[in-house]
Amino acid sequence: NRRIVLASRPQGAPTAANFRLEEAPVPQPEDGEVLLRTVYLSLDPYMRGRMSDAPSYAAPVEVDAVMGAGTVSRVVASRNADYAVGEWVLAYSGWQDYAVSDGAGLMRLGAEPQHPSHALGILGMPGFTAYIGLLDIGRPQAGETLVVAACTGPVGATAGQIGKLKGCRVVGVAGGPEKCRHALDVLGFDACIDHKAPDFAQQLARACPDGIDIYYENVGGKVFDAVLPLLNTSARIPVCGLISYYNATSLPPGPDRLALLMRTVLTKRLKIQGFIITDDYSRYDEFAGDMKSWLAAGQMKYREDMVDGLENAPQAFIGLLQGKNFGKLVIRAGAD
Ligand code: NDP
Protein backbone atom coordinates (compact mmCIF):
# COMPACT_ATOMS: atom_id res chain seq x y z
CA ASN A 1 0.00 0.00 0.00
CA ARG A 2 1.69 3.17 -1.17
CA ARG A 3 0.67 6.22 0.84
CA ILE A 4 1.72 9.84 1.03
CA VAL A 5 2.08 11.34 4.49
CA LEU A 6 2.64 14.88 5.73
CA ALA A 7 6.39 14.90 6.47
CA SER A 8 6.51 18.43 7.86
CA ARG A 9 4.37 21.55 7.98
CA PRO A 10 5.04 24.06 5.18
CA GLN A 11 6.33 27.56 5.84
CA GLY A 12 4.72 29.51 2.99
CA ALA A 13 4.27 27.53 -0.23
CA PRO A 14 4.43 23.74 0.23
CA THR A 15 7.43 21.94 -1.25
CA ALA A 16 8.15 18.30 -2.10
CA ALA A 17 9.99 18.00 1.25
CA ASN A 18 6.69 18.46 3.11
CA PHE A 19 5.47 15.08 1.75
CA ARG A 20 6.82 11.53 2.02
CA LEU A 21 5.85 8.48 -0.02
CA GLU A 22 5.77 5.35 2.14
CA GLU A 23 5.10 1.65 1.62
CA ALA A 24 2.91 -0.12 4.15
CA PRO A 25 1.11 -3.47 4.20
CA VAL A 26 -2.34 -3.47 2.58
CA PRO A 27 -4.82 -3.23 5.49
CA GLN A 28 -7.16 -6.18 6.01
CA PRO A 29 -10.89 -5.58 6.57
CA GLU A 30 -12.38 -6.76 9.87
CA ASP A 31 -15.99 -7.89 10.25
CA GLY A 32 -18.29 -5.13 8.99
CA GLU A 33 -15.53 -3.48 6.93
CA VAL A 34 -14.63 -3.21 3.26
CA LEU A 35 -11.22 -2.84 1.62
CA LEU A 36 -11.21 0.01 -0.90
CA ARG A 37 -8.81 0.50 -3.82
CA THR A 38 -8.37 4.16 -4.72
CA VAL A 39 -9.04 4.72 -8.42
CA TYR A 40 -9.28 8.54 -8.46
CA LEU A 41 -7.97 10.92 -5.83
CA SER A 42 -9.20 14.50 -5.53
CA LEU A 43 -6.73 17.32 -4.93
CA ASP A 44 -8.36 20.48 -3.59
CA PRO A 45 -7.18 23.88 -2.32
CA TYR A 46 -8.56 23.29 1.22
CA MET A 47 -5.80 20.70 1.77
CA ARG A 48 -3.30 23.54 2.18
CA GLY A 49 -5.17 24.59 5.33
CA ARG A 50 -5.05 21.06 6.75
CA MET A 51 -1.24 21.02 6.36
CA SER A 52 -0.98 23.88 8.87
CA ASP A 53 -1.77 23.73 12.55
CA ALA A 54 -3.18 27.26 12.66
CA PRO A 55 -6.71 27.22 14.13
CA SER A 56 -9.27 26.62 11.37
CA TYR A 57 -12.72 25.16 10.79
CA ALA A 58 -11.23 21.67 10.37
CA ALA A 59 -8.59 19.79 12.34
CA PRO A 60 -5.10 19.65 10.78
CA VAL A 61 -3.50 16.52 9.38
CA GLU A 62 -1.00 15.27 11.96
CA VAL A 63 2.66 15.12 10.94
CA ASP A 64 3.43 11.56 9.70
CA ALA A 65 -0.28 10.91 9.04
CA VAL A 66 -1.71 10.19 5.58
CA MET A 67 -2.91 13.30 3.76
CA GLY A 68 -6.72 13.32 3.68
CA ALA A 69 -8.67 13.40 0.41
CA GLY A 70 -11.92 12.46 -1.21
CA THR A 71 -11.52 9.42 -3.45
CA VAL A 72 -13.47 7.40 -5.95
CA SER A 73 -12.70 3.83 -4.98
CA ARG A 74 -13.74 0.26 -5.72
CA VAL A 75 -14.57 -2.37 -3.17
CA VAL A 76 -11.91 -5.09 -3.56
CA ALA A 77 -12.79 -7.16 -0.47
CA SER A 78 -15.92 -7.03 1.64
CA ARG A 79 -16.91 -8.22 5.09
CA ASN A 80 -19.85 -5.81 5.08
CA ALA A 81 -23.18 -7.18 3.83
CA ASP A 82 -24.13 -3.79 2.35
CA TYR A 83 -21.20 -3.67 -0.10
CA ALA A 84 -20.25 -6.17 -2.79
CA VAL A 85 -16.83 -6.60 -4.38
CA GLY A 86 -16.56 -4.46 -7.52
CA GLU A 87 -18.87 -1.66 -6.35
CA TRP A 88 -17.85 1.97 -6.95
CA VAL A 89 -18.03 4.34 -4.00
CA LEU A 90 -17.20 7.91 -3.12
CA ALA A 91 -14.98 7.66 -0.04
CA TYR A 92 -12.50 9.67 1.99
CA SER A 93 -9.53 7.32 1.76
CA GLY A 94 -6.79 9.96 1.51
CA TRP A 95 -3.58 9.95 -0.51
CA GLN A 96 -3.08 6.18 -0.59
CA ASP A 97 -3.76 3.13 -2.73
CA TYR A 98 -5.88 1.20 -0.21
CA ALA A 99 -8.01 1.98 2.84
CA VAL A 100 -10.51 0.10 4.97
CA SER A 101 -13.92 1.54 5.80
CA ASP A 102 -16.82 0.42 7.96
CA GLY A 103 -19.18 1.99 5.43
CA ALA A 104 -19.71 5.24 7.34
CA GLY A 105 -19.58 8.19 4.97
CA LEU A 106 -19.43 6.08 1.80
CA MET A 107 -21.69 7.04 -1.08
CA ARG A 108 -22.59 4.50 -3.76
CA LEU A 109 -21.91 5.50 -7.36
CA GLY A 110 -23.81 2.66 -9.03
CA ALA A 111 -22.56 -0.54 -10.64
CA GLU A 112 -20.95 1.01 -13.73
CA PRO A 113 -20.91 4.80 -13.43
CA GLN A 114 -20.31 6.50 -16.77
CA HIS A 115 -17.84 9.05 -15.40
CA PRO A 116 -16.81 7.88 -11.92
CA SER A 117 -14.38 10.76 -11.38
CA HIS A 118 -17.18 13.33 -11.79
CA ALA A 119 -18.18 12.49 -8.20
CA LEU A 120 -15.07 14.43 -7.13
CA GLY A 121 -15.93 17.51 -9.18
CA ILE A 122 -18.95 18.64 -11.13
CA LEU A 123 -21.26 16.15 -9.36
CA GLY A 124 -19.47 16.32 -6.04
CA MET A 125 -18.15 18.75 -3.45
CA PRO A 126 -16.88 21.49 -5.83
CA GLY A 127 -20.04 21.48 -7.98
CA PHE A 128 -22.25 21.56 -4.89
CA THR A 129 -20.15 24.44 -3.52
CA ALA A 130 -20.71 26.47 -6.69
CA TYR A 131 -24.46 25.73 -6.62
CA ILE A 132 -25.06 26.71 -2.99
CA GLY A 133 -22.72 29.70 -3.02
CA LEU A 134 -24.12 31.20 -6.18
CA LEU A 135 -27.82 30.42 -5.76
CA ASP A 136 -28.22 30.92 -1.99
CA ILE A 137 -25.82 33.80 -1.37
CA GLY A 138 -25.35 35.27 -4.84
CA ARG A 139 -29.08 35.08 -5.67
CA PRO A 140 -28.60 35.78 -9.40
CA GLN A 141 -31.27 37.64 -11.34
CA ALA A 142 -31.53 37.77 -15.12
CA GLY A 143 -29.67 40.74 -16.56
CA GLU A 144 -27.28 41.12 -13.63
CA THR A 145 -23.49 41.06 -13.99
CA LEU A 146 -21.71 38.19 -12.26
CA VAL A 147 -17.93 38.14 -11.93
CA VAL A 148 -16.34 34.77 -11.11
CA ALA A 149 -12.74 34.37 -9.91
CA ALA A 150 -10.64 31.26 -10.71
CA CYS A 151 -13.25 30.72 -13.39
CA THR A 152 -11.86 27.61 -15.10
CA GLY A 153 -11.56 25.52 -11.91
CA PRO A 154 -14.39 23.20 -10.88
CA VAL A 155 -16.02 25.71 -8.53
CA GLY A 156 -15.64 28.81 -10.71
CA ALA A 157 -16.56 27.15 -14.01
CA THR A 158 -19.70 25.69 -12.46
CA ALA A 159 -20.73 28.93 -10.72
CA GLY A 160 -20.29 30.87 -13.96
CA GLN A 161 -22.27 28.39 -16.03
CA ILE A 162 -25.12 28.37 -13.51
CA GLY A 163 -25.03 32.17 -13.71
CA LYS A 164 -25.45 31.95 -17.50
CA LEU A 165 -28.40 29.57 -17.05
CA LYS A 166 -29.99 32.16 -14.74
CA GLY A 167 -29.58 34.87 -17.39
CA CYS A 168 -26.63 36.81 -16.00
CA ARG A 169 -23.86 38.51 -17.93
CA VAL A 170 -20.90 36.44 -16.75
CA VAL A 171 -17.38 37.82 -16.63
CA GLY A 172 -14.68 35.33 -15.66
CA VAL A 173 -11.24 36.01 -14.21
CA ALA A 174 -8.49 33.48 -14.94
CA GLY A 175 -4.73 33.21 -15.19
CA GLY A 176 -3.50 33.34 -18.79
CA PRO A 177 -4.90 33.52 -22.33
CA GLU A 178 -5.52 29.79 -22.73
CA LYS A 179 -7.79 29.64 -19.69
CA CYS A 180 -9.59 32.80 -20.82
CA ARG A 181 -10.20 31.34 -24.27
CA HIS A 182 -11.70 28.24 -22.64
CA ALA A 183 -14.01 30.43 -20.56
CA LEU A 184 -15.32 32.16 -23.68
CA ASP A 185 -15.38 29.31 -26.20
CA VAL A 186 -16.33 26.32 -24.04
CA LEU A 187 -17.98 27.70 -20.90
CA GLY A 188 -19.86 30.39 -22.86
CA PHE A 189 -18.97 33.33 -20.63
CA ASP A 190 -19.48 36.84 -22.00
CA ALA A 191 -15.94 37.97 -21.18
CA CYS A 192 -12.88 36.67 -19.36
CA ILE A 193 -10.04 38.80 -18.04
CA ASP A 194 -6.50 37.56 -17.42
CA HIS A 195 -5.50 38.61 -13.89
CA LYS A 196 -1.85 38.48 -14.94
CA ALA A 197 -2.32 41.32 -17.45
CA PRO A 198 -0.66 44.57 -16.31
CA ASP A 199 -3.88 46.52 -16.95
CA PHE A 200 -6.12 43.84 -15.38
CA ALA A 201 -8.20 46.32 -13.31
CA GLN A 202 -8.89 48.56 -16.33
CA GLN A 203 -9.82 45.54 -18.48
CA LEU A 204 -12.20 44.29 -15.80
CA ALA A 205 -13.85 47.72 -15.58
CA ARG A 206 -14.34 47.77 -19.37
CA ALA A 207 -15.88 44.28 -19.27
CA CYS A 208 -18.39 45.39 -16.61
CA PRO A 209 -19.94 48.58 -18.08
CA ASP A 210 -22.99 48.24 -15.80
CA GLY A 211 -20.94 47.47 -12.67
CA ILE A 212 -20.92 44.18 -10.74
CA ASP A 213 -23.99 42.76 -8.98
CA ILE A 214 -22.45 39.48 -7.78
CA TYR A 215 -18.80 38.65 -7.19
CA TYR A 216 -18.16 34.94 -6.64
CA GLU A 217 -15.00 35.16 -4.54
CA ASN A 218 -12.46 32.32 -4.83
CA VAL A 219 -9.21 34.25 -4.77
CA GLY A 220 -8.96 37.55 -2.80
CA GLY A 221 -5.89 39.76 -3.29
CA LYS A 222 -5.62 41.86 -6.41
CA VAL A 223 -8.73 40.31 -7.98
CA PHE A 224 -10.86 41.55 -5.09
CA ASP A 225 -9.07 44.92 -5.20
CA ALA A 226 -10.12 45.33 -8.84
CA VAL A 227 -13.70 44.22 -8.14
CA LEU A 228 -14.34 46.46 -5.11
CA PRO A 229 -14.73 49.83 -6.89
CA LEU A 230 -17.01 48.26 -9.53
CA LEU A 231 -19.58 46.82 -7.11
CA ASN A 232 -23.15 48.08 -7.50
CA THR A 233 -25.51 49.03 -4.69
CA SER A 234 -26.83 45.84 -3.04
CA ALA A 235 -24.18 43.62 -4.61
CA ARG A 236 -23.72 40.13 -3.11
CA ILE A 237 -20.35 38.45 -2.50
CA PRO A 238 -20.34 34.74 -1.66
CA VAL A 239 -16.90 34.30 -0.05
CA CYS A 240 -16.09 30.77 -1.10
CA GLY A 241 -12.29 30.81 -1.11
CA LEU A 242 -9.27 33.10 -0.83
CA ILE A 243 -6.63 31.01 -2.53
CA SER A 244 -4.18 33.87 -3.09
CA TYR A 245 -3.68 33.99 0.71
CA TYR A 246 -3.39 30.25 1.45
CA ASN A 247 0.42 30.22 1.35
CA ALA A 248 0.77 33.58 3.13
CA THR A 249 2.77 33.74 6.35
CA SER A 250 1.77 37.30 7.25
CA LEU A 251 -0.77 39.96 6.33
CA PRO A 252 -0.08 41.69 2.98
CA PRO A 253 1.89 44.96 3.16
CA GLY A 254 -0.11 48.17 3.66
CA PRO A 255 -1.74 50.53 3.15
CA ASP A 256 -4.51 49.22 5.42
CA ARG A 257 -7.64 49.19 3.26
CA LEU A 258 -10.09 48.04 5.91
CA ALA A 259 -11.66 51.50 6.15
CA LEU A 260 -12.18 51.58 2.37
CA LEU A 261 -13.74 48.13 2.45
CA MET A 262 -16.09 48.91 5.33
CA ARG A 263 -17.12 52.25 3.86
CA THR A 264 -17.99 50.45 0.62
CA VAL A 265 -19.92 47.78 2.55
CA LEU A 266 -21.96 50.53 4.21
CA THR A 267 -22.58 52.93 1.36
CA LYS A 268 -23.23 50.21 -1.24
CA ARG A 269 -25.23 48.02 1.23
CA LEU A 270 -23.05 45.04 0.28
CA LYS A 271 -23.85 41.54 1.45
CA ILE A 272 -20.62 39.58 2.02
CA GLN A 273 -21.09 36.06 3.32
CA GLY A 274 -18.59 33.26 3.84
CA PHE A 275 -19.68 29.63 3.79
CA ILE A 276 -18.15 26.18 4.26
CA ILE A 277 -19.94 23.60 2.17
CA THR A 278 -19.37 20.67 4.53
CA ASP A 279 -21.53 22.40 7.18
CA ASP A 280 -24.72 21.37 5.41
CA TYR A 281 -25.20 18.68 2.79
CA SER A 282 -29.00 18.57 3.21
CA ARG A 283 -29.61 19.93 -0.29
CA TYR A 284 -27.14 17.67 -2.06
CA ASP A 285 -29.94 15.63 -3.73
CA GLU A 286 -31.59 18.76 -5.09
CA PHE A 287 -28.22 19.87 -6.49
CA ALA A 288 -27.46 16.44 -8.00
CA GLY A 289 -30.87 16.37 -9.69
CA ASP A 290 -30.38 19.80 -11.27
CA MET A 291 -26.78 19.11 -12.25
CA LYS A 292 -27.55 15.76 -13.87
CA SER A 293 -30.27 17.33 -15.99
CA TRP A 294 -28.02 20.25 -17.01
CA LEU A 295 -25.26 17.81 -17.98
CA ALA A 296 -27.68 15.58 -19.90
CA ALA A 297 -28.99 18.63 -21.79
CA GLY A 298 -25.43 19.68 -22.71
CA GLN A 299 -25.85 22.91 -20.71
CA MET A 300 -22.88 22.31 -18.45
CA LYS A 301 -19.29 21.70 -19.57
CA TYR A 302 -16.71 20.11 -17.32
CA ARG A 303 -12.96 19.94 -17.72
CA GLU A 304 -10.67 17.67 -15.70
CA ASP A 305 -6.93 17.94 -15.30
CA MET A 306 -6.08 14.26 -14.86
CA VAL A 307 -2.60 13.38 -13.57
CA ASP A 308 -1.41 9.77 -13.58
CA GLY A 309 0.22 8.20 -10.54
CA LEU A 310 -0.23 8.63 -6.80
CA GLU A 311 3.48 9.51 -6.57
CA ASN A 312 2.78 12.67 -8.59
CA ALA A 313 0.17 14.00 -6.13
CA PRO A 314 2.56 16.30 -4.18
CA GLN A 315 3.85 18.08 -7.31
CA ALA A 316 0.33 18.39 -8.73
CA PHE A 317 -0.93 19.83 -5.44
CA ILE A 318 1.93 22.34 -5.25
CA GLY A 319 0.97 23.40 -8.80
CA LEU A 320 -2.70 23.84 -7.86
CA LEU A 321 -1.72 26.67 -5.49
CA GLN A 322 0.18 28.32 -8.36
CA GLY A 323 -2.58 28.03 -10.96
CA LYS A 324 -0.80 25.29 -12.92
CA ASN A 325 -3.91 23.10 -13.05
CA PHE A 326 -6.40 23.63 -15.86
CA GLY A 327 -9.72 22.19 -14.71
CA LYS A 328 -10.53 19.90 -11.79
CA LEU A 329 -7.29 18.35 -10.55
CA VAL A 330 -7.63 14.59 -10.16
CA ILE A 331 -4.98 11.91 -9.66
CA ARG A 332 -5.60 8.64 -11.49
CA ALA A 333 -4.26 6.39 -8.78
CA GLY A 334 -5.18 2.91 -9.88
CA ALA A 335 -6.65 0.68 -12.56
CA ASP A 336 -10.31 1.27 -13.32
P1 NDP B 1 -9.27 25.51 -8.82
O1 NDP B 1 -9.13 24.35 -9.72
O2 NDP B 1 -9.96 26.73 -9.31
O3 NDP B 1 -7.75 25.82 -8.42
C1 NDP B 1 -7.32 26.94 -7.91
C2 NDP B 1 -7.12 28.06 -8.97
O4 NDP B 1 -7.01 29.27 -8.26
C3 NDP B 1 -5.85 27.95 -9.77
O5 NDP B 1 -5.96 27.11 -10.88
C4 NDP B 1 -5.64 29.39 -10.18
O6 NDP B 1 -6.41 29.69 -11.32
C5 NDP B 1 -6.23 30.16 -9.00
N1 NDP B 1 -5.15 30.68 -8.17
C6 NDP B 1 -4.26 30.00 -7.46
N2 NDP B 1 -3.42 30.81 -6.83
C7 NDP B 1 -3.81 32.07 -7.16
C8 NDP B 1 -3.36 33.36 -6.84
N3 NDP B 1 -2.31 33.54 -6.02
N4 NDP B 1 -4.00 34.43 -7.36
C9 NDP B 1 -5.04 34.26 -8.18
N5 NDP B 1 -5.53 33.04 -8.53
C10 NDP B 1 -4.92 31.97 -8.02
O7 NDP B 1 -9.89 25.11 -7.41
P2 NDP B 1 -11.41 24.83 -6.94
O8 NDP B 1 -12.37 25.16 -8.03
O9 NDP B 1 -11.43 23.49 -6.34
O10 NDP B 1 -11.57 25.88 -5.76
C11 NDP B 1 -11.78 27.26 -6.02
C12 NDP B 1 -11.91 28.01 -4.70
O11 NDP B 1 -13.03 27.52 -3.98
C13 NDP B 1 -10.71 27.85 -3.77
O12 NDP B 1 -10.45 29.09 -3.16
C14 NDP B 1 -11.19 26.85 -2.75
O13 NDP B 1 -10.52 26.97 -1.52
C15 NDP B 1 -12.65 27.24 -2.65
N6 NDP B 1 -13.54 26.20 -2.12
C16 NDP B 1 -14.31 26.51 -1.04
C17 NDP B 1 -15.22 25.63 -0.51
C18 NDP B 1 -16.08 26.05 0.64
O14 NDP B 1 -16.73 25.22 1.25
N7 NDP B 1 -16.12 27.33 0.98
C19 NDP B 1 -15.35 24.27 -1.08
C20 NDP B 1 -14.53 24.04 -2.26
C21 NDP B 1 -13.64 24.98 -2.74
P3 NDP B 1 -5.94 30.82 -12.36
O15 NDP B 1 -4.77 30.22 -13.11
O16 NDP B 1 -7.13 31.02 -13.20
O17 NDP B 1 -5.53 32.00 -11.57
Side-chain angles (χ1 to χ4, degrees):
N1 183 28
R2 293 176 316 153
R3 58 189 195 190
I4 295 172
V5 302
L6 179 65
S8 57
R9 299 202 184 279
Q11 303 296 319
T15 68
N18 298 130
F19 302 93
R20 189 172 65 242
L21 178 66
E22 292 181 348
E23 288 280 350
V26 174
Q28 295 304 311
E30 306 279 330
D31 266 350
E33 291 182 338
V34 289
L35 177 62
L36 300 175
R37 171 72 168 101
T38 304
V39 183
Y40 298 105
L41 168 71
S42 184
L43 294 180
D44 299 273
Y46 74 83
M47 294 168 179
R48 176 63 187 83
R50 305 278 168 91
M51 296 176 78
S52 297
D53 56 7
S56 184
Y57 60 91
V61 176
E62 297 298 328
V63 171
D64 296 330
V66 176
M67 290 286 298
T71 60
V72 164
S73 304
R74 294 194 84 172
V75 177
V76 290
S78 180
R79 294 179 66 181
N80 179 319
D82 292 339
Y83 291 94
V85 169
E87 272 195 83
W88 290 87
V89 291
L90 177 68
Y92 200 83
S93 295
W95 297 27
Q96 57 185 343
D97 286 331
Y98 293 93
V100 291
S101 165
D102 62 5
L106 298 185
M107 192 177 100
R108 281 200 167 75
L109 299 177
E112 286 303 328
Q114 205 184 354
H115 301 290
S117 60
H118 287 194
L120 301 173
I122 187 84
L123 278 170
M125 186 278 282
F128 186 42
T129 299
Y131 182 92
I132 293 293
L134 183 68
L135 296 181
D136 281 16
I137 303 173
R139 301 200 167 269
Q141 305 296 317
E144 289 189 326
T145 297
L146 162 66
V147 171
V148 182
C151 79
T152 62
V155 174
T158 309
Q161 290 181 93
I162 297 173
K164 283 302 297 177
L165 289 171
K166 299 295 173 190
C168 292
R169 171 178 169 79
V170 176
V171 177
V173 174
E178 205 193 345
K179 289 184 177 180
C180 282
R181 224 172 6 254
H182 175 77
L184 296 175
D185 296 349
V186 178
L187 303 177
F189 294 178
D190 298 284
C192 184
I193 313 299
D194 178 357
H195 64 74
K196 294 176 182 166
D199 60 343
F200 163 63
Q202 291 88 327
Q203 284 195 43
L204 185 69
R206 281 200 296 277
C208 303
D210 300 327
I212 298 172
D213 301 295
I214 308 167
Y215 172 51
Y216 195 101
E217 173 66 296
N218 284 324
V219 165
K222 68 178 183 190
V223 180
F224 184 74
D225 284 345
V227 163
L228 187 64
L230 304 176
L231 291 167
N232 289 332
T233 297
S234 300
R236 286 83 67 199
I237 306 180
V239 181
C240 174
L242 295 165
I243 194 165
S244 74
Y245 307 140
Y246 292 176
N247 286 330
T249 50
S250 61
L251 290 172
D256 181 351
R257 283 156 301 165
L258 189 60
L260 169 68
L261 172 64
M262 293 309 282
R263 197 166 61 233
T264 313
V265 169
L266 175 64
T267 58
K268 296 274 181 67
R269 296 79 136 179
L270 302 182
K271 180 175 168 190
I272 303 180
Q273 188 180 328
F275 70 106
I276 300 296
I277 197 65
T278 45
D279 286 351
D280 182 3
Y281 254 63
S282 60
R283 287 171 57 207
Y284 176 80
D285 288 346
E286 175 193 336
F287 152 73
D290 281 347
M291 187 53 74
K292 281 176 185 163
S293 60
W294 290 332
L295 284 165
Q299 291 172 301
M300 193 63 64
K301 304 290 183 224
Y302 179 53
R303 181 183 174 114
E304 290 180 312
D305 186 338
M306 192 68 81
V307 174
D308 276 306
L310 179 71
E311 66 282 5
N312 294 318
Q315 218 45 57
F317 177 70
I318 291 165
L320 176 71
L321 298 167
Q322 302 165 347
K324 290 195 177 150
N325 66 305
F326 189 177
K328 170 69 192 123
L329 186 57
V330 177
I331 299 291
R332 194 186 280 115
D336 56 349

